[in-house]
Amino acid sequence: METVRHSERTLKTALISENPRLVSQYEKLDAGERRLLNEAFKPDHDLFGPITLHSQSDWIISHPEAPQDFEQFFSDPYRKAPSPDKRSIYIQCIGSLGNTRIISEEYIKWLKGYCEAFFYGLTVKLLEPVPVSATRCSFRVNDNTQNLQIHAGHILKFLKKKKPEDAFCIVGITMIDLYPRDSWNFVFGQASLTDGVGIFSFARYGRDFYSSRYEGRVSKLQKGSSSDYAVFDNYYTPQVTSVLLLRSCKTLTHEIGHIFGLRHCQWLACLMQGSNHLEEADRRPLNLCPICLRKLQCAIGFNIIERYKALVRWIEDESDSPGVSTERSREGAVDLPKPVDAFKEWKEWIIKCLAVVQK
């Protein structure tokens, strides 16, 4: 294992900048917020650890990129930020997210609530779910996994046409695997920053996706069936678990972060780190490092304390989501508590952060 460490000066400059204007902007932040953000470059800090590399296939090694500090983010002429008339994130579900309609509806509501807390200050709206056929995308069977895949680029074009006037961005979510082009094996997600659209798949986050027992496998498409979307009717969706929900929240917020102009983080352990495979994605934390947190705060304008409190409330609210009555739950013969066990450790971390800010 290799650890990526930066000097105190490097991290401080990445966070605050040496530009007098940006230094002045930083000094105007609340004292408690600055105390938390300064943890980035304190030698004895324990809230924000270094990036660790475990293999040559990890993202930083296999995809060399120039790091993005706060000043580069702030000065990016192509960066888009929410405006007074475009402060909504729209979520478009493609296909089912659960093996029943009620579970699928609840799952997307849990994701909506998480996004509202994470991107605190913006409104998150749900569009009516659509079947794969509505996108008119290409699809195939992956040669390695024998699972169905849909073309990410074609879905981005579909989403661009559906983007509402008040949308900062529109993101599609699906439990079907994605591929960006014929030569690629798969992709977890793909986004267009200029168009403010993204598509993300949670298919590979099911616990048995890579197993020979995975029920979503198909042998091959019948000749002439590459345009027959009936193959997606009642297509297998994995059981909703706490780990699946955590991985989905991670991917969704990471990819929407890109739409805000945040590039892959190379400073500290951070949600915005790139990931090449599931093991690396699981090592990536749910939280933003101080440098990326300042970027997102600059884009949205939230109060860090209120944002952290909203995230804690989302974790603590394990009851059924608003809008689904207990009668309806009984009718569906399912119990729908939000599975948040995998988030408990992160909740304790947030509480430590709140203690630093409010000290």
Side-chain angles (χ1 to χ4, degrees):
M1 185 179 76
E2 180 184 347
T3 301
V4 179
R5 294 191 184 276
H6 300 282
S7 69
E8 179 180 340
R9 178 182 175 83
T10 298
L11 291 171
K12 186 174 183 179
T13 303
L15 171 68
I16 302 173
S17 168
E18 293 179 342
N19 181 317
R21 177 187 171 199
L22 297 183
V23 172
S24 175
Q25 182 191 95
Y26 186 78
E27 290 172 346
K28 290 176 183 175
L29 293 177
D30 175 82
E33 292 185 337
R34 279 186 281 117
R35 187 161 52 245
L36 176 69
L37 296 175
N38 287 348
E39 289 279 318
F41 56 82
K42 286 188 175 179
D44 58 345
H45 69 80
D46 61 356
L47 288 174
F48 304 99
I51 295 172
T52 57
L53 305 177
H54 294 246
S55 75
Q56 291 298 308
S57 65
D58 282 2
W59 183 273
I60 288 180
I61 297 174
S62 56
H63 295 273
E65 299 173 274
Q68 180 197 49
D69 60 22
F70 178 77
E71 182 175 343
Q72 290 167 321
F73 168 83
F74 185 84
S75 307
D76 184 352
Y78 302 106
R79 176 174 66 87
K80 294 188 181 298
S83 59
D85 59 338
K86 294 185 183 295
R87 293 188 66 82
S88 295
I89 295 172
Y90 281 84
I91 299 178
Q92 172 70 73
C93 183
I94 298 169
S96 177
L97 293 186
N99 51 21
T100 71
R101 177 174 56 85
I102 293 176
I103 292 175
S104 187
E105 290 174 356
E106 287 298 272
Y107 198 83
I108 195 170
K109 287 176 184 174
W110 295 333
L111 294 173
K112 172 184 181 290
Y114 185 81
C115 279
E116 285 180 331
F118 194 92
F119 300 103
Y120 189 76
L122 299 187
T123 302
V124 180
K125 300 178 181 179
L126 301 179
L127 295 171
E128 280 295 316
V130 298
V132 175
S133 58
T135 70
R136 310 312 299 171
C137 68
S138 297
F139 58 92
R140 72 180 187 185
V141 174
N142 183 286
D143 290 336
N144 299 315
T145 65
Q146 300 301 307
N147 298 319
L148 283 169
Q149 292 182 303
I150 50 181
H151 194 291
H154 295 172
I155 295 176
L156 290 181
K157 292 179 181 177
F158 166 77
L159 293 171
K160 184 179 177 181
K161 293 177 182 176
K162 286 199 68 175
K163 188 177 178 184
E165 285 294 320
D166 67 333
F168 167 68
C169 67
I170 175 173
V171 294
I173 57 175
T174 184
M175 281 292 185
I176 303 166
D177 205 23
L178 298 173
Y179 71 104
R181 57 180 69 98
D182 290 342
S183 59
W184 278 52
N185 182 24
F186 79 98
V187 68
F188 285 120
Q190 190 172 352
S192 168
L193 279 60
T194 53
D195 295 329
V197 297
I199 173 67
F200 322 118
S201 169
F202 308 140
R204 291 178 180 252
Y205 297 152
R207 59 189 173 194
D208 59 348
F209 181 88
Y210 295 95
S211 165
S212 59
R213 300 185 304 275
Y214 185 70
E215 295 178 37
R217 286 171 171 255
V218 293
S219 55
K220 63 180 179 178
L221 292 177
Q222 297 298 317
K223 186 175 181 181
S225 68
S226 59
S227 60
D228 182 3
Y229 294 96
V231 70
F232 292 100
D233 293 346
N234 301 313
Y235 186 62
Y236 174 73
T237 53
Q239 179 186 358
V240 174
T241 64
S242 185
V243 171
L244 178 62
L245 180 60
L246 181 143
R247 289 169 170 169
S248 301
C249 288
K250 237 188 230 189
T251 294
L252 189 56
T253 49
H254 172 98
E255 298 295 348
I256 294 175
H258 282 318
I259 297 175
F260 277 92
L262 279 73
R263 295 186 209 151
H264 284 131
C265 182
Q266 300 184 52
W267 304 111
L268 295 161
C270 177
L271 173 79
M272 292 309 298
Q273 285 173 242
S275 63
N276 244 2
H277 44 81
L278 184 57
E279 180 187 345
E280 187 177 20
D282 281 343
R283 290 199 303 267
R284 187 172 61 188
L286 282 159
N287 59 277
L288 295 170
C289 75
I291 296 161
C292 291
L293 181 59
R294 188 186 178 196
K295 294 174 187 177
L296 191 64
Q297 184 190 40
C298 172
I300 299 177
F302 52 69
N303 176 285
I304 290 178
I305 291 178
E306 295 307 316
R307 176 179 176 273
Y308 277 156
K309 286 182 176 178
L311 287 165
V312 170
R313 283 195 300 272
W314 182 88
I315 297 170
E316 290 179 339
D317 180 15
E318 298 184 37
S319 61
D320 292 353
S321 299
V324 176
S325 66
T326 53
E327 289 79 6
R328 185 174 170 190
S329 294
R330 283 198 295 271
E331 176 189 324
V334 290
D335 184 23
L336 297 173
K338 192 192 320 175
V340 293
D341 286 349
F343 294 83
K344 294 299 176 67
E345 186 176 332
W346 191 47
K347 174 188 166 185
E348 297 305 315
W349 180 89
I350 296 173
I351 290 171
K352 289 179 182 178
C353 290
L354 284 169
V356 171
V357 180
Q358 297 175 309
K359 184 164 62 177

